[in-house]
Amino acid sequence: MATPEDARRANRSLLLRTLHRNGPVSRADLAKVTGLTRATVSAVVRDLMDDEVVEELGLSTAGGVGKPATLVDVAADGRHVLCLDLSEPARFVGAIVNLAGKVVVRRTYDRKDRTGRSAVTLVRRIGRELVADAERPLLGIGVASPGIVDADGVVVTAAHLGWTGVPLGAELAAEFGLPVAVVNDANAAALAELTFGAEPARNLICVRVDEGVGAGLVLDGRLFAGSTYATGEIGHVVVVPDGDVCACGKRGCLETEVSAPLLAGRLQADAGDGTAVLQRAGEHLGTALATVLSALDVADVVLSGSGAVATDTFRAAAAGAIAARAMPVLGDRLVVRAATFGFDDVLVGAAARVLDLELGIR
Ligand SMILES: [Zn+2]
C-alpha cells in the first residue's frame, strides 16, 4: 500500500525528472506538466530547495498577462557527485558529475591486471584523489560495477574483477563518510536515460556491451531490480549452440559472440572492412533480445558501449534481427539507438543513482 512517504518520494522524483527535461519552468507550469496540484508542487519544490538540488532563478520574461512567475530549475552545481565506472576492460574511470548530469572532471586509471583486493585498493585511491579535487560539496559517491550488485552495495559477483561478495558500498562509506550507491553498469546506463535523457523513458532496455554483456530495464518509469538483482544478465544466453566454449562452461553464449575485447580482436583480424563481423555480432544480440522485448512489450532499445557497439552497422543489424523475430506490433515501433550520453552514460547513471538515494527514491 502506498504511504504518504511513498507519495513524497514519487513526487520528488517526478518533479526532478520534469525539471531535468523541461527546466527552467515556473511552479504553475510544473503543475500543468506533472498533473500535481499547485500546492503540492510548491511544497515539493521547497523540500528540494532545502536539499540544495533545486534553485530559484529569475522571473519569467515570457509575455502574457499577470505578473511574471519565478522560474525554478535543478541547481546543477549546488552539489556534485563523485562517480566511478568500473565496467571497461582495461581501465577504471573516475569523475565528478554535476546534478544536471554533466561530467565536470574525468580521470582514467589503467587497471592493468588488477583484480580482487588490488582492484578495490585502486577504487579507494581514485576516490581519495577525486574527493581532494571536488570544488563543490559532494552529495555522495556513485559506483557502477560490472556483475551482480545487491541493494546494500555488495558486489555479489563480478567475474572479470575477481570479486565475490565484496561490500564495496560499506567500505567506501566508512572511508569517505559519504552516502554511497553501487549499481550494476548496465543499470547505471539505463538510469542515465531515465533521469537525464531527452525523451521521457517509461519503458526501455539498455544493453551494455563491455567485457561482458548486460542489460538494464526501465519498466513503468522505474528501474526494474528483479528477484535476485540479476535482471538483464543476458550474456550467458546461448545464441550459437555449437559455438565457442564460454568462461561459464557452456558453448556459444552471447558473450562468446558479443563483447568489447572479442569484437575488437575480430575486427582487427578481419580481412575485409569489418562490416560482416559487425553484422554477425549485431544479429546475435538482436536474436537474444527479441524474446525479452516481445515478452515485455518494450520497443525502445539503447546500446551502451564503445567501439563496435557504437557503430551504425552494429545497431542496424541488431534492429533487423529483432524486427525479423518479433511481432509487427513491436517491430513497427522499434527504435535501437545510441546512448544519449555517449561514453559517459555509465558515469552519469551512477550519479543518477546517488541522486535517487538522496531523494529517497528506491
Ligand atoms: Zn557463458
Side-chain angles (χ1 to χ4, degrees):
M1 206 180 74
T3 64
E5 184 56 22
D6 289 338
R8 175 175 172 268
R9 287 172 175 164
N11 289 342
R12 283 161 68 90
S13 166
L14 178 61
L15 281 199
L16 205 64
R17 286 185 178 141
T18 306
L19 284 175
H20 275 128
R21 217 158 275 138
N22 303 336
V25 292
S26 67
R27 289 172 175 81
D29 284 341
L30 271 177
K32 237 179 270 171
V33 173
T34 59
L36 298 173
T37 66
R38 285 221 199 182
T40 301
V41 167
S42 291
V44 177
V45 165
R46 195 177 314 122
D47 195 23
L48 290 168
M49 283 173 65
D50 287 344
D51 289 340
E52 296 178 68
V53 296
V54 162
E55 64 186 351
E56 280 187 336
L57 304 173
L59 296 173
S60 162
T61 52
V65 286
K67 65 178 176 136
T70 304
L71 299 175
V72 293
D73 202 355
V74 174
D77 293 297
R79 303 284 189 93
H80 284 170
V81 185
L82 195 166
C83 297
L84 285 116
D85 174 3
L86 314 182
S87 68
E88 293 190 31
R91 60 182 198 166
F92 286 165
V93 185
I96 302 281
V97 179
N98 81 5
L99 298 187
K102 184 178 158 222
V103 175
V104 180
V105 174
R106 179 197 293 95
R107 295 244 184 87
T108 57
Y109 296 79
D110 189 351
R111 179 163 74 84
K112 301 203 171 68
D113 291 321
R114 282 193 187 85
T115 55
R117 279 312 301 175
S118 167
V120 175
T121 302
L122 178 58
V123 167
R124 293 172 69 149
R125 194 186 104 208
I126 297 170
R128 283 194 294 275
E129 291 190 13
L130 286 167
V131 164
D133 277 0
E135 292 184 345
R136 302 291 308 148
L138 290 170
L139 188 68
I141 299 176
V143 183
S145 169
I148 298 173
V149 182
D150 76 11
D152 298 322
V154 175
V155 180
V156 178
T157 165
H160 301 301
L161 293 174
W163 287 352
T164 307
V166 174
L168 196 60
E171 212 172 301
L172 295 178
E175 171 158 2
F176 296 104
L178 287 166
V180 179
V182 187
V183 62
N184 164 272
D185 55 350
N187 283 340
L191 272 175
E193 298 293 333
L194 175 65
T195 307
F196 301 114
E199 300 291 322
R202 293 289 300 169
N203 298 289
L204 69 84
I205 187 165
C206 183
V207 179
R208 170 82 188 162
V209 179
D210 38 61
E211 201 152 1
V213 185
L217 264 176
V218 171
L219 297 177
D220 286 336
R222 288 179 58 164
L223 187 69
F224 182 73
S227 320
T228 61
Y229 304 100
T231 306
E233 290 295 309
I234 57 173
H236 298 281
V237 170
V238 173
V239 291
V240 184
D242 57 351
D244 295 343
V245 176
C246 177
C248 76
K250 290 185 298 198
R251 274 185 182 277
C253 291
L254 184 58
E255 282 192 10
T256 66
E257 293 292 334
V258 182
S259 82
L262 181 139
L263 284 175
R266 282 188 188 167
L267 284 173
Q268 212 165 27
D270 187 47
D273 63 358
T275 303
V277 171
L278 293 172
Q279 273 172 348
R280 179 185 157 100
E283 275 173 33
H284 283 311
L285 179 63
T287 303
L289 287 177
T291 310
V292 179
L293 298 174
S294 301
L296 298 172
D297 186 24
V298 171
D300 187 4
V301 181
V302 177
L303 296 187
S304 167
S306 53
V309 185
T311 62
D312 292 343
T313 307
F314 181 84
R315 266 201 302 279
I322 296 165
R325 288 164 180 78
M327 297 273 285
V329 67
L330 182 88
D332 291 349
R333 285 180 291 128
L334 181 70
V335 177
V336 180
R337 58 192 172 101
T340 305
F341 299 91
F343 305 144
D344 283 337
D345 62 339
V346 172
L347 284 171
V348 169
R353 187 72 193 120
V354 172
L355 201 50
D356 278 358
L357 277 190
E358 285 313 286
L359 296 181
I361 301 158
R362 281 154 297 163

